[in-house]
Amino acid sequence: MKIFLVGFMGCGKSTKAKQLANLLECPVIDIDAVIVAQQGMSIADYFAANGEAAFRKLENEMLKSFDYPETCVVATGGGLPCYFDNMEWMNENGITVYLEMTPPQLVSRLHNREKRPLLKGMDDEQLLAFIIGKLEERNVFYHQAKLSINSFDLDPKTLLEEIDRLKG
Ligand SMILES: Nc1ncnc2c1ncn2[C@@H]1O[C@H](COP(=O)(O)OP(=O)(O)O)[C@@H](O)[C@H]1O
Ligand SMILES: O=C(O)C1=C[C@@H](OP(=O)(O)O)[C@@H](O)[C@H](O)C1
Ligand SMILES: [Mg+2]
């Protein structure tokens, strides 16, 4: 079983992927971390050097070419499901889970904005407006996930139970 976690920046994909993988005793793959390791630079530096379009192409290639173990948990970047046929591909190759949060909940989790090039320099008010607008564009992709669940207070055991229920 491959579990793909999707959702907006700050919803907890990277953190929950590690927790779920711990519970399942399986490997965790964070696509952003794989890109950082392969490119030898941070996501922010990659954006600055090559631009967003190049990053989208790279994450698409990485998503599809990675040699996934049979059982694993995959944390995607917040934009990944919204480009090319990535969402469709994840639905064909595993169980997709949308970790949902309200815009104010997301703002409260996004302290480290310099690490995320799309959020660089924003104050709380600008960030809230940005999130509301971007979610409007992105929700159509995120909602293609097999399971949608609010992740603000979600403990990994409950998340795993919900995923197991889905598998039937
Ligand atoms: N349960 C939690 N309670 C408080 N802060 C959390 C919790 N889970 C994650 N965070 C923090 O929220 C931020 C976003 O989490 P992260 O896993 O990086 O999200 P994503 O990968 O979806 O962008 C990080 O600073 C992380 O430390
Ligand atoms: O939403 C996005 O477009 C992005 C989200 C980031 O990942 P996180 O969602 O883990 O922050 C990272 O891939 C990049 O900064 C772009
Ligand atoms: Mg992440």
Side-chain angles (χ1 to χ4, degrees):
M1 168 175 70
K2 292 176 193 59
I3 300 170
F4 292 95
L5 301 185
V6 305
F8 206 83
M9 288 172 265
C11 73
K13 303 176 295 293
S14 297
T15 309
K16 290 222 161 30
K18 282 184 202 154
Q19 295 170 339
L20 263 186
N22 265 343
L23 282 180
L24 289 165
E25 297 183 14
C26 73
V28 58
I29 293 121
D30 192 313
I31 301 288
D32 279 342
V34 174
I35 288 174
V36 167
Q38 190 221 39
Q39 295 296 312
M41 65 174 97
S42 69
I43 300 292
D45 287 345
Y46 188 89
F47 261 67
N50 305 290
E52 183 173 355
F55 176 75
R56 297 306 173 196
K57 199 160 168 280
L58 184 59
E59 62 179 359
N60 167 259
E61 285 162 7
M62 201 55 83
L63 174 74
K64 293 190 178 179
S65 66
F66 194 87
D67 188 13
Y68 299 96
E70 190 50 41
T71 300
C72 60
V73 184
V74 183
T76 62
L80 183 144
C82 315
Y83 291 86
F84 308 102
D85 60 345
N86 293 346
M87 195 66 213
E88 198 183 334
W89 188 90
M90 290 188 283
N91 274 327
E92 280 166 5
N93 287 278
I95 296 174
T96 48
V97 179
Y98 175 20
L99 300 179
E100 271 192 290
M101 278 199 199
T102 65
Q105 286 173 337
L106 289 167
V107 171
S108 76
R109 289 288 167 85
L110 287 165
H111 299 295
N112 203 344
R113 288 169 208 168
E114 301 312 304
K115 271 194 172 178
R116 293 176 171 88
L118 297 179
L119 312 181
K120 225 172 170 177
M122 286 187 193
D123 64 26
D124 278 5
E125 203 182 324
Q126 289 167 325
L127 180 60
L128 183 64
F130 174 82
I131 290 171
I132 291 168
K134 264 279 181 260
L135 268 180
E136 229 165 85
E137 285 170 29
R138 289 183 170 185
N139 261 331
V140 62
F141 297 98
Y142 295 152
H143 278 304
Q144 290 170 32
K146 289 289 172 282
L147 172 68
S148 295
I149 187 163
N150 188 287
S151 62
F152 192 71
D153 286 324
L154 181 66
D155 68 280
K157 273 192 183 155
T158 309
L159 176 56
L160 189 55
E161 279 165 19
E162 291 296 325
I163 292 168
D164 281 340
R165 233 154 50 113
L166 196 76
K167 285 191 299 168

